[in-house]
Amino acid sequence: MKFSNIKKIPLILNERNTSRLLFPLFIAAASFFIGKAIVDMNIRIAIITVLMFVIGVCCLRIQAGVFALLLYLPFMAFLRRYIYVYNPYVSFDPILIISSIFTIFMFLYLMVFHLNTIVGSFKEKPIIRFVNLLFIWFFLEMLNPIQGGLIVGITGSLFFIIPIIWFYFGRFIDKERLNRILYLTVFIGLIVALYGLKQNFLGYTTFEKYWVELGGYGALSIRGWLRPVSTFASSQEYTTYIMIAGIISFALATRNIKNLPLLAVLCIILYALVMSATRGALLGLILGMGIYTILGLKRPKIIALAFLVIIIVYIGLATKISIPYINVTTPEAAYLSHTTSGIFDPFAKGSTLWLHWKGIMQGFLMMFKYPVGHGLGSSTLAAAKFGGEGVSGEGFMVSLFTSTGIIGAMFFFTLLYFLLRNSFMRYVSNGDFFSKLIFVIAFEILLTIDLRLYSVGPLVWLLLGYQAYRS
């Protein structure tokens, strides 16, 4: 089957008997669990049941399921925390695996009915070939005994295998739907940025403080104040998501004069990043907008020269600028001080840059110590929760090195090379907007984007899949 002929692909569970059977089963299951929740006065079960029913019905159609999950994932952690108003904290909340369940459901459907469509170009397209190899290697690493047990590997798969499945969903997204996904991401980015600013200036709600006490983590505190996480599970996920939304809003605004109001969204996101006390995402946004602008030159040699000039100028300024002392007596001052010191004085002796660099080198060396990998769960929370043997997992690249070894790293970087090359060549040849934007986001994976994050990984893999199947 030719991949350009996307309109001929049946997008609904077109085996009518299957869909007719699943829909009443969803209704019956939802009715049972809603009734049980009412009897037991368990709000958690009620919310999970409603979510399972709504998202499940949407997932009977691939595109609708993609939109439903992309809308759900950025607010998943907030819903989990909101339940604490009615029910007590639990260390393992089923609400966190709803998206994984339906991701697997849609993927199994594709494997059963459209296997040739998603992997049929294994020999024709290097990108598809290497993503298939990477997927298989991830699956084998899930079974790696070194990590400390199968349950550790299965839990670790939520951070590696579930996101990469979204690459295959990109086969079923056309330009019109991708455009909607971009606007949806910007809209969500605006909402969560505003809520993050609310946490900056008005503080956490009662149920959010309850979560911090029982399920938070040490890095939430900046000089005694809690940094914003907005509706996400961590500050890293929050800032990475709005960084991507900021890059998209900049691209859309410069694409069409009708989108100029999106520059206001970009300003809000930029301010939210400054106040987030997270330097990497702010630099990622600035770099992403810079790369997107430089790509407009189109000539590779001029683009490379512009990159070099920017890097030299930044390093020169960073080594010369001295940061004025900020008296940290308010949370706003703490956030601002933490951000500015990392941006303008990144090479300071006490900068976290050196800690990150040390983590990267440790992960790189461990890749050679365990060339076949240490297991998917070893570099994630799975190792700590289920008694596995944990290794360094600071950032996606370090986690990739330690968890999948030399083979996994080779597959991934080869895949990324082909994606960057093909999207760049497609943009240079015909000025394709989506190729230009996806090139920037793919490049950011090397620097700031962690593909293990709940809401970030699926979105980015989906964009990469869209580009791969059409390049």
Side-chain angles (χ1 to χ4, degrees), residues 130-166:
F130 278 99
V131 81
N132 289 338
L133 290 172
L134 184 63
F135 180 87
I136 293 170
W137 189 249
F138 279 172
F139 183 81
L140 293 175
E141 288 295 343
M142 182 179 69
L143 307 176
N144 192 327
I146 302 176
Q147 62 194 329
L150 183 59
I151 186 64
V152 178
I154 293 174
T155 307
S157 70
L158 299 177
F159 303 96
F160 286 92
I161 294 179
I162 296 301
I164 200 175
I165 286 175
W166 282 73

Side-chain angles (χ1 to χ4, degrees), residues 224-246:
W225 284 280
L226 295 174
R227 70 168 80 192
V229 296
S230 188
T231 61
F232 298 87
S234 68
S235 58
Q236 181 191 13
E237 185 179 3
Y238 162 51
T239 54
T240 304
Y241 190 94
I242 63 174
M243 178 198 76
I244 295 173

Side-chain angles (χ1 to χ4, degrees), residues 423-444:
S423 57
F424 179 77
M425 297 304 296
R426 186 178 177 89
Y427 164 67
V428 171
S429 63
N430 59 22
D432 181 60
F433 164 76
F434 298 106
S435 297
K436 182 181 180 182
L437 175 61
I438 292 172
F439 174 88
V440 175
I441 293 176
F443 187 83
E444 291 275 4

Side-chain angles (χ1 to χ4, degrees), residues 20 99 107 121 202 219 273 283 375 434 437:
R20 288 174 179 174
S99 61
F107 180 66
S121 61
L202 300 179
L273 284 173
L283 281 174
F434 298 106
L437 175 61

Side-chain angles (χ1 to χ4, degrees), residues 164-230:
I164 200 175
I165 286 175
W166 282 73
F167 180 94
Y168 300 103
F169 295 164
R171 173 64 183 90
F172 300 90
I173 301 297
D174 55 24
K175 283 189 176 182
E176 181 180 352
R177 289 186 175 89
L178 182 62
N179 207 45
R180 294 175 187 170
I181 288 173
L182 296 181
Y183 281 103
L184 175 66
T185 303
V186 172
F187 176 73
I188 294 175
L190 172 62
I191 298 300
V192 298
L194 289 173
Y195 192 78
L197 289 171
K198 175 265 174 190
Q199 290 178 332
N200 274 121
F201 296 104
L202 300 179
Y204 281 31
T205 60
T206 302
F207 61 86
E208 288 169 333
K209 291 178 181 178
Y210 176 74
W211 164 73
V212 171
E213 293 175 2
L214 296 179
Y217 56 98
L220 270 176
S221 178
I222 294 293
R223 303 190 185 185
W225 284 280
L226 295 174
R227 70 168 80 192
V229 296
S230 188

